[in-house]
Structures are given as C-alpha cells and as structure tokens.
Amino acid sequence: MTEKNVAKSIRSILTSQSFGILATIGDEYPYCSVISFAFTDDLRQIIFVTRSDTTKFNNMRRDPCVSFVVETTRNDADDLSRASVLTAYGCADMVVEKASDLRGLISARHPDLKPFLAEDDTVLMSITIKKYSLVSNFEAITDFIPS
C-alpha cells in the first residue's frame, strides 16, 4: 500500500468513527478511557477534551506517552476479514497555541460537546502523533508516520 493510500485509509477510519479508546500510563497498569475526538487534516494531531480532575488527565500530566485506538468492528464473523484497527502513538499535552482553531475542530465534529467545552474545569488536549499502526485483514500491519 502506498503512503498516500495508507494516509487515505487512516483518514477514512478516523472520519467514520466518533469515539476511540485512549490509553494512558497509570500507577500500576495502563488506564483506558473512551473519548470523543477530532483530528487535524495532516493527521499529526488527535484532539479531545477532558476534565482536569480525571485519572486520565493526571496520568498524562505525569507521563504524556499515550496510545489511542479506533476500530471498525461490527461484532460479527466478517470482522476478521473486513475490520480495521488503527492505533496512534504519541504524546499528549494541554493545548495552548491555536486553541481556538482546535476547539473549533472538536466542536464542529461533536456539537453536543459545546456546553462541556465551556466549563471551567474542561481542558483541551492534543496528542502529537509519532506513528500510526493500521491492522487490516486480521494481521496485515502497516505503519505510517505523519509528515
């Protein structure tokens, strides 16, 4: 698969799904959370919001290394040959620069989050992606580094 086709597949998966699983480094074990997300067109950032008093936020403050999984399974037998699983690896940080642009991305994709975005203890976060791993056809793995 060409780099352009891999990027197209990644963009398609991210566009088709509203939620993903964020894994942070917990005290003893990885800590997983379901999150709503948006992404930048260049695939370099995954954007999400969280409260500042959550376990995931505190984990990311302590260690910003995260992984983020989005999958297209439907819970049927065809998943083995048709579903894809996309894992993004990177570092999470609070958004300071270009906050209004990125806040616009998440609110456009998830208009239901607008009240949550306006709350005082809500933090806009960005995962700077180092690498994506795309698994398709059960075991075909393709890595992609956004440039």
Side-chain angles (χ1 to χ4, degrees):
M1 192 179 307
T2 67
E3 189 170 304
K4 188 175 182 177
N5 286 341
V6 174
K8 184 178 177 180
S9 294
I10 290 170
R11 194 171 283 106
S12 175
I13 291 167
L14 293 174
T15 300
S16 73
Q17 303 299 312
S18 296
F19 304 98
I21 306 294
L22 175 71
T24 59
I25 298 172
D27 291 332
E28 294 182 63
Y29 304 101
Y31 183 83
C32 297
S33 307
V34 175
I35 60 169
S36 301
F37 70 95
F39 60 96
T40 57
D41 193 50
D42 62 7
L43 302 175
R44 291 183 182 178
Q45 294 178 290
I46 302 288
I47 311 302
F48 65 99
V49 291
T50 187
R51 292 191 194 283
S52 59
D53 63 351
T54 62
T55 299
K56 68 178 162 284
F57 180 78
N58 289 322
N59 287 347
M60 290 181 288
R61 293 285 305 245
R62 188 178 59 253
D63 189 331
C65 295
V66 299
S67 59
F68 177 69
V69 176
V70 179
E71 48 84 20
T72 64
T73 60
R74 295 183 181 168
N75 204 27
D76 61 40
D78 289 340
D79 284 346
L80 290 175
S81 61
R82 293 188 184 170
S84 296
V85 178
L86 177 67
T87 304
Y89 302 95
C91 294
D93 200 4
M94 292 185 293
V95 173
V96 178
E97 293 182 27
K98 298 184 180 182
S100 62
D101 293 345
L102 297 178
R103 190 177 298 274
L105 271 180
I106 192 94
S107 63
R109 181 159 176 161
H110 300 281
D112 53 312
L113 289 179
K114 285 182 182 176
F116 183 62
L117 281 162
E119 294 178 14
D120 290 339
D121 62 343
T122 298
V123 181
L124 184 64
M125 301 293 294
S126 172
I127 304 169
T128 301
I129 305 302
K130 306 255 189 228
K131 178 177 88 167
Y132 288 96
S133 289
L134 175 61
V135 179
S136 54
N137 298 322
F138 189 63
E139 60 187 357
I141 302 170
T142 305
D143 288 338
F144 176 81
I145 297 172
S147 55

